[in-house]
């Protein structure tokens, strides 16, 4: 499983950006799970971040949860 949960999503209108994008944006709050689940090495931290941003056009939640 992932080492964090996503909470408190705030949607941002495309009109808030210049130039205006053709996508919807959200601000999210990532909540770390208990310390025992935090990655222990810098390599694992980097790996977790890369998973979250691997598919920028995909919902970030779907990057961490698989079927």
């Amino acid at each position: 499983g992932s080492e964090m949960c996503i909470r408190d999503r705030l949607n941002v209108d495309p009109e808030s950006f210049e130039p205006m994008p053709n996508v919807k944006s959200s601000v999210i709050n990532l909540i770390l799970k208990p310390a025992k689940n935090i990655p222990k090495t810098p390599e694992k931290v980097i790996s977790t971040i890369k998973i979250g941003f691997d598919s920028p056009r995909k919902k970030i939640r779907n990057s961490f949860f698989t079927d």
Side-chain angles (χ1 to χ4, degrees):
S2 66
E3 285 81 13
M4 56 189 82
C5 346
I6 299 172
R7 298 269 191 253
D8 303 327
R9 191 176 84 197
L10 170 72
N11 294 323
V12 181
D13 293 327
E15 295 83 16
S16 299
F17 299 95
E18 182 64 40
M20 188 172 70
N22 293 324
V23 297
K24 294 180 182 177
S25 300
S26 295
V27 176
I28 59 171
N29 185 12
L30 298 174
I31 306 295
L32 290 175
K33 289 187 177 180
K36 65 179 182 166
N37 293 329
I38 295 175
K40 304 292 186 239
T41 65
E43 293 80 13
K44 181 64 177 169
V45 172
I46 298 296
S47 173
T48 302
I49 292 168
K50 284 183 178 181
I51 290 169
F53 292 96
D54 192 39
S55 301
R57 298 192 183 275
K58 181 177 178 181
K59 288 185 179 180
I60 195 168
R61 178 185 304 263
N62 295 338
S63 294
F64 289 106
F65 301 104
T66 57
D67 295 331

